[in-house]
């Protein structure tokens, strides 16, 4: 693909990503719903144009056509605006490389977090969450701030090869200092244990990554296992004492799941239900449960199979660090929504790209992707 257009695509994606993440902060309470909807439609049009122009600049192949129809089929099944935008963004990233995805999310999260924190410290946004119970520095809740800082602490240590998409970890005094600061901030200041555990799991797993060879079968189906356990726990919450212990660790999420699972029966394609603002302040986290109820069993199954395919392909191509990152997001997805929130993390994008033949090769670069398409 033309290098200039590739840079232009990434530039626009970073800008849109930054704005979208800022919209997950307290700014969304100050901007009208109609304006936010218009912005969503505008971004969708931008995604479509970027994708179409990329097909003109770099002629499409059979693999692109098949993937396009697959995404359109998923969108048709869902008919949810969120899936439409996520699917279209995935089409754009199918024309780019893994390095582009990681870099774009890193800079989008960095710029948006700096902007929101600055607005909170300058008094435009509150430094506390809307309930006044936690230090969120302009974001709607502590978990958002914690996740963004944890994700940045991980991505800042990434080093992606120029000649291939292999990711290694590179430490220096700057990213180590930031990493230590984030861990202390997560556990002691804002007490976001989920984000803190995400960081610790990622770096411990990267130290003992050779163990992954013995756990490949479990790693591949991990999102499916976590989903099955989440639904089992949600349905059986009042029947087993140990679930109450786990529930206390994950901040009453299993109790909340039980409420919604018993109030809103699972359907094939989801329902138009709304989160109850009167039930625990409208708190509802846990990607596997949330997206299963709201988007339906079919779309959730598509995402889980896509994640399993991604895990399998990354394990097969020995993309260990990227695999550990995806696993970290999948584990976080048990108690948080960030896994499938394409604005916050690339988890949903990677789930869709799991269906794209050859995308997670070790030589995933723009140049090699072009050669791969021509051979397909």
């Amino acid at each position: 693909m033309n290098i200039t257009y590739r840079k232009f695509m990434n530039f626009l994606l970073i800008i849109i990503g930054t704005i979208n993440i800022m919209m997950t902060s307290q700014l969304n309470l100050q901007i009208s719903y109609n304006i936010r909807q218009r912005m969503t439609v505008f971004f969708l049009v931008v995604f479509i144009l970027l994708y179409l122009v990329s097909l003109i600049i770099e002629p499409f192949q059979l693999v692109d056509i098949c993937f396009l129809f697959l995404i359109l089929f998923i969108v048709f099944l869902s008919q949810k605006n969120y899936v439409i935008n996520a699917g279209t963004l995935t089409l754009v990233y199918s024309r780019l490389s893994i390095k582009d995805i990681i870099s774009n999310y890193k800079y989008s999260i960095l710029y948006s977090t700096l902007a929101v924190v600055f607005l909170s410290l300058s008094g435009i946004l509150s430094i506390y969450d809307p309930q006044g119970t936690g230090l969120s520095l302009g974001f709607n809740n502590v978990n958002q701030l914690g996740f963004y800082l944890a994700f940045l602490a991980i991505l800042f240590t990434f080093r992606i090869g120029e000649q291939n998409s292999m990711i290694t970890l590179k430490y220096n005094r700057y990213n180590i200092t930031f990493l230590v600061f984030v861990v202390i901030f997560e556990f002691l200041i804002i007490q976001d244990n989920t984000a803190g555990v995400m960081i610790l799991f990622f770096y411990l797993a990267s130290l003992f990554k050779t163990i992954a060879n013995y756990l490949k079968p479990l790693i591949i189906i991990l999102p499916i296992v976590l989903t099955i356990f989440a639904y089992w726990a949600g349905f059986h919450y009042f029947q087993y004492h140990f679930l109450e212990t786990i529930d206390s660790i994950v901040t009453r999420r299993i109790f909340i799941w039980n409420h919604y699972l018993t109030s809103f029966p699972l359907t094939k394609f989801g329902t138009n239900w709304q989160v109850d603002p009167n039930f625990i302040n409208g708190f509802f986290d846990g990607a596997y449960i949330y997206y299963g109820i709201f988007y339906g069993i079919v779309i959730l199954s598509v995402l889980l199979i896509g994640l399993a395919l991604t895990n399998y392909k990354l394990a097969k191509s020995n993309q260990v660090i990227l695999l550990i990152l995806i696993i970290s997001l999948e584990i976080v997805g048990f108690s948080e929504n960030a896994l499938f929130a394409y604005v916050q993390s690339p988890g949903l994008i990677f789930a869709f790209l799991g269906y794209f033949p050859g995308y997670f090769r070790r030589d995933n670069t723009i140049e090699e992707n072009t050669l791969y398409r021509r051979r397909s």
Side-chain angles (χ1 to χ4, degrees):
M1 183 184 294
N2 182 281
I3 296 178
T4 302
Y5 184 65
R6 174 193 172 192
K7 291 181 178 179
F8 176 70
M9 290 176 71
N10 287 324
F11 175 72
L12 284 184
L13 291 173
I14 290 174
I15 291 178
I16 293 174
T18 301
I19 295 173
N20 275 333
I21 293 174
M22 291 182 69
M23 289 300 101
T24 67
S25 73
Q26 295 173 24
L27 284 172
N28 71 349
L29 303 176
Q30 302 182 15
I31 299 176
S32 70
Y33 176 78
N34 288 335
I35 292 178
R36 283 184 278 126
Q37 286 296 100
R38 290 172 185 172
M39 290 173 61
T40 300
V41 173
F42 175 73
F43 293 155
L44 175 62
V45 172
V46 173
F47 294 156
I48 293 173
L49 290 176
L50 287 175
Y51 179 67
L52 292 177
V53 174
S54 74
L55 293 178
I56 296 173
I57 293 178
E58 175 57 46
F60 55 85
Q61 304 296 325
L62 179 61
V63 66
D64 296 294
I65 298 297
C66 293
F67 188 65
L68 171 61
F69 277 107
L70 174 63
I71 294 298
L72 290 177
F73 180 66
I74 294 172
V75 166
F76 173 77
L77 288 178
S78 173
Q79 297 186 13
K80 302 278 189 182
N81 292 336
Y82 189 84
V83 177
I84 294 173
N85 277 60
T88 309
L89 179 59
T90 303
L91 290 175
V92 176
Y93 274 125
S94 72
R95 308 292 293 173
L96 296 170
S97 68
I98 293 174
K99 182 177 182 179
D100 293 317
I101 296 177
I102 298 298
S103 297
N104 290 351
Y105 271 92
K106 179 176 72 174
Y107 289 117
S108 295
I109 293 174
L110 174 63
Y111 298 150
S112 57
T113 301
L114 288 174
V116 171
V117 171
F118 173 78
L119 291 174
S120 71
L121 294 178
S122 61
I124 298 175
L125 300 177
S126 173
I127 62 174
Y128 298 102
D129 59 31
Q131 289 76 36
T133 57
L135 181 69
S136 63
L137 296 179
F139 288 99
N140 282 323
N141 56 64
V142 169
N143 292 342
Q144 285 183 338
L145 174 64
F147 176 79
Y148 292 139
L149 291 177
F151 208 41
L152 284 175
I154 292 173
L155 295 184
F156 278 163
T157 59
F158 274 27
R159 181 180 182 180
I160 307 178
E162 293 294 332
Q163 302 303 319
N164 56 46
S165 63
M166 289 297 293
I167 298 174
T168 56
L169 298 180
K170 183 179 181 180
Y171 300 101
N172 55 51
R173 59 184 177 180
Y174 301 109
N175 59 29
I176 291 177
T177 301
F178 182 70
L179 176 61
V180 172
F181 164 77
V182 170
V183 171
I184 294 174
F185 187 77
E186 301 279 10
F187 283 112
L188 300 182
I189 307 300
I190 63 175
Q191 297 181 349
D192 184 2
N193 294 333
T194 302
V197 169
M198 175 182 170
I199 297 175
L200 295 180
F201 172 83
F202 176 84
Y203 286 108
L204 285 175
S206 66
L207 289 175
F208 301 99
K209 53 181 177 285
T210 53
I211 300 177
N213 293 325
Y214 303 99
L215 300 175
K216 279 186 179 179
L218 176 60
I219 289 173
I220 292 170
I221 63 171
L222 180 62
I224 299 174
V225 172
L226 290 173
T227 301
I228 292 173
F229 178 72
Y231 279 92
W232 181 86
F235 279 118
H236 297 85
Y237 175 69
F238 291 105
Q239 299 177 28
Y240 297 93
H241 258 315
F242 76 91
L243 289 177
E244 294 181 13
T245 303
I246 298 176
D247 190 48
S248 64
I249 297 174
V250 295
T251 325
R252 301 196 70 189
R253 281 169 172 81
I254 301 179
F255 172 71
I256 296 171
W257 298 345
N258 177 267
H259 169 77
Y260 284 103
L261 287 172
T262 54
S263 302
F264 302 95
L266 291 172
T267 62
K268 290 182 180 179
F269 301 106
T271 58
N272 292 320
W273 65 278
Q274 298 292 325
V275 173
D276 184 358
N278 298 317
F279 183 73
I280 312 186
N281 296 319
F283 183 78
F284 186 6
D285 275 335
Y288 303 119
I289 302 292
Y290 182 91
Y291 284 83
I293 294 177
F294 189 69
Y295 294 100
I297 299 173
V298 173
I299 297 302
L300 178 62
S301 298
V302 169
L303 295 177
L304 293 176
I305 294 172
L307 285 175
L309 286 171
T310 298
N311 290 352
Y312 168 75
K313 293 177 179 180
L314 290 174
K316 185 178 180 180
S317 61
N318 203 31
Q319 288 267 37
V320 180
I321 299 300
L322 183 56
L323 175 60
I324 294 174
L325 175 65
I326 300 298
I327 292 173
S328 301
L329 290 174
E330 290 167 356
I331 293 174
V332 168
F334 181 79
S335 60
E336 302 288 347
N337 291 337
L339 171 63
F340 292 145
Y342 77 89
V343 170
Q344 298 177 280
S345 85
L348 182 58
I349 305 299
F350 283 141
F352 282 149
L353 287 173
Y355 292 96
F356 193 102
Y359 190 84
F360 291 102
R361 304 180 318 278
R362 294 181 61 160
D363 58 353
N364 181 294
T365 60
I366 292 296
E367 295 75 15
E368 289 297 330
N369 284 346
T370 300
L371 294 174
Y372 181 85
R373 283 186 170 90
R374 290 172 178 172
R375 291 195 298 263
S376 300

